[in-house]
Amino acid sequence: PPADLFLAAVEETVRANAAFVPPMGKGALYLRPLLLGSGPILGLGPAPSYTLVVYAAAVGAYFKGGQLTPIDLIVESRFHRAAPGGMGGTKAAGNYSPVLVTQLAAKKEGYADVVYLDAKTDTFLEEVSSCNLFVVSSRTISTPPLAGTILPGVTRRSVIELARARGYEVREEPVTVDAAMAADEVFTTGTAVVLSPVGSLTRGGERRQFGAAGEPTPVALELYQALTELQTERAPDPFGWVHAVEGAE
Ligand SMILES: *Cc1c(COP(=O)(O)O)cnc(C)c1O
């Protein structure tokens, strides 16, 4: 959809649902734009028309346990989320179907979610089912590059810029699962997730704990606070990311 149409639809949805915005610090009005193919067609091919929908829902923390409770992740060794040359880099509903079975199995074992590795070599981190991954080693933060198999998350981009502005060296580079297991910290990012510290990574029989149990790790906490203070206008926004919706008071 054209940018102005998209923005108008989002603004209209926010205005119509302003009463449902949770109080400061209690959650957010989550917006989910969706584009659906529609029209009288049965054959395989692009739809003749499309419907743009914007859902709004008042939400709390994405992972159970609360926003800054570190999550336990398990590295998936058999299944992949996306393959090179496929469509893993698009925000398409179909990209979630391969993750559902593995995610459910992980949740049954007490993990919050699954870390996927690259489909070619099973060596490099890709991302989690619905969020991007960052690995911290002292003042350097690494995140897998956008090579078509991971989602180019807007939160990923914001966190890269925010961390650079705060003096971190941020590298978009292939990150091995070995490097993640040996790093100081790991965290995930996404619109719904915001920024979530990873408390542990499990690969095979090996478990790596990050920081003290139940406590957010320091760089994740710093960047979470910086991002949410900017989003809620408790800190200035030098990037121009905040967009006011007129008439949504
Ligand atoms: C939505 C999503 C993300 C996060 O993207 P944002 O634009 O930051 O919300 C990351 N990975 C996957 C697979 C996703 O579906």
Side-chain angles (χ1 to χ4, degrees):
D4 54 349
L5 176 76
F6 177 85
L7 197 59
V10 168
E11 289 194 341
E12 198 52 46
T13 307
V14 172
R15 265 192 293 273
N17 292 282
F20 298 102
V21 176
M24 180 80 98
K26 292 263 163 62
L29 187 72
Y30 180 77
L31 299 171
R32 175 169 296 176
L34 200 69
L35 196 62
L36 298 163
S38 49
I41 182 172
L42 201 55
L44 181 62
S49 56
Y50 291 85
T51 303
L52 173 65
V53 183
V54 183
Y55 284 93
V59 296
Y62 182 81
F63 291 115
K64 79 175 184 209
Q67 180 62 55
L68 281 170
T69 305
I71 54 171
D72 296 311
L73 297 179
I74 183 162
V75 178
E76 174 57 44
S77 58
R78 285 176 58 209
F79 297 104
H80 301 99
R81 182 191 158 272
M87 51 175 266
T90 57
K91 191 90 182 173
N95 279 342
Y96 294 112
S97 45
V99 310
L100 298 178
V101 169
T102 43
Q103 194 195 48
L104 200 65
K107 283 189 174 170
K108 277 198 183 127
E109 301 208 343
Y111 298 100
D113 216 319
V114 174
V115 172
Y116 290 96
L117 300 181
D118 76 285
K120 213 164 172 179
T121 68
D122 274 324
T123 309
F124 299 100
L125 300 182
E126 293 260 289
E127 59 179 330
V128 182
S129 309
S130 64
C131 40
N132 293 113
L133 265 175
F134 288 78
V135 171
V136 184
S137 290
S138 109
R139 296 288 297 173
T140 301
I141 304 179
S142 303
T143 193
L146 302 179
T149 56
I150 67 167
L151 206 283
V154 68
T155 321
R156 173 187 180 279
R157 206 171 81 197
S158 302
V159 166
I160 289 173
E161 286 185 40
L162 205 53
R164 283 190 179 138
R166 301 179 77 84
Y168 289 96
E169 183 183 341
V170 183
R171 297 188 191 152
E172 294 180 73
E173 61 181 6
V175 187
T176 63
V177 60
D178 289 334
M181 295 293 283
D184 296 337
E185 289 184 39
V186 176
F187 62 83
T188 67
T189 64
T191 303
V193 169
V194 190
L195 192 157
S196 191
V198 172
S200 72
L201 266 185
T202 298
R203 175 185 54 176
E206 192 188 352
R207 184 177 189 276
R208 169 71 205 282
Q209 167 87 33
F210 298 95
E215 294 293 323
T217 48
V219 176
L221 181 62
E222 178 195 334
L223 294 174
Y224 169 79
Q225 282 172 339
L227 182 64
T228 53
E229 280 171 10
L230 189 153
Q231 287 175 333
T232 53
E233 296 181 86
R234 283 173 292 151
D237 168 22
F239 307 98
W241 295 337
V242 173
H243 179 86
V245 178
E246 301 300 330
E249 295 304 307

